Amino acid sequence: LVVMIYTLKPMVGELLPAIVVYATVISLMLLTAINRFSVAQKQSAQFVFWGALLFVLSDTLLAINKFHTPFNGAGVAVMATYGAAQYLLVRGFNKIVPKN
C-alpha cells in the first residue's frame, strides 16, 4: 500500500485522497481475508485469500496502467485477474463453515 501510494503520488494529482482511501480499503480486505484462516474452514479461507490477493493485483495493474506506465495487454491482465478474483471470492464464500 505504502509503496503503491508513494509510486503513484506524483501522477494522480487531486485524485490522491480518493486513491489513498480506496487502496486502504482493499488492503484491509486482504488483511481480513488473511484473518479468515483463524475462523473459517481452511478451503474457504484459501479461496477467499487468493481471491482477495488477485483483486488487489488487478487494481494494482489498473493503477499502474492508468497513472504510471501504460503497458500492452493491460486490459487482458486486469480483467483476467479481476475475473479470477471474483470467482475465487464467490467460491470461498460458498464454502463458509465455521471452524470447530
Side-chain angles (χ1 to χ4, degrees):
L1 168 68
V2 173
V3 170
M4 193 62 172
I5 297 300
Y6 180 78
T7 301
L8 294 177
K9 185 178 176 184
M11 291 108 180
V12 298
E14 64 186 33
L15 291 175
L16 184 61
I19 289 171
V20 168
V21 169
Y22 183 73
T24 300
V25 168
I26 65 170
S27 295
L28 290 172
M29 176 195 63
L30 181 56
L31 288 173
T32 302
I34 292 167
N35 187 56
R36 288 190 81 245
F37 281 99
S38 66
V39 296
Q41 180 189 36
K42 183 179 179 183
Q43 189 176 32
S44 173
Q46 287 174 335
F47 279 122
V48 171
F49 166 74
W50 288 109
L53 188 63
L54 284 175
F55 190 90
V56 171
L57 176 60
S58 173
D59 280 4
T60 300
L61 293 172
L62 183 65
I64 289 169
N65 186 62
K66 174 101 174 135
F67 299 113
H68 194 272
T69 308
F71 59 95
N72 291 332
V76 171
V78 168
M79 290 311 294
T81 53
Y82 179 78
Q86 295 306 311
Y87 170 78
L88 291 169
L89 288 167
V90 169
R91 184 101 190 256
F93 287 124
N94 274 337
K95 294 190 172 294
I96 292 178
V97 176
K99 208 174 194 180
N100 292 334

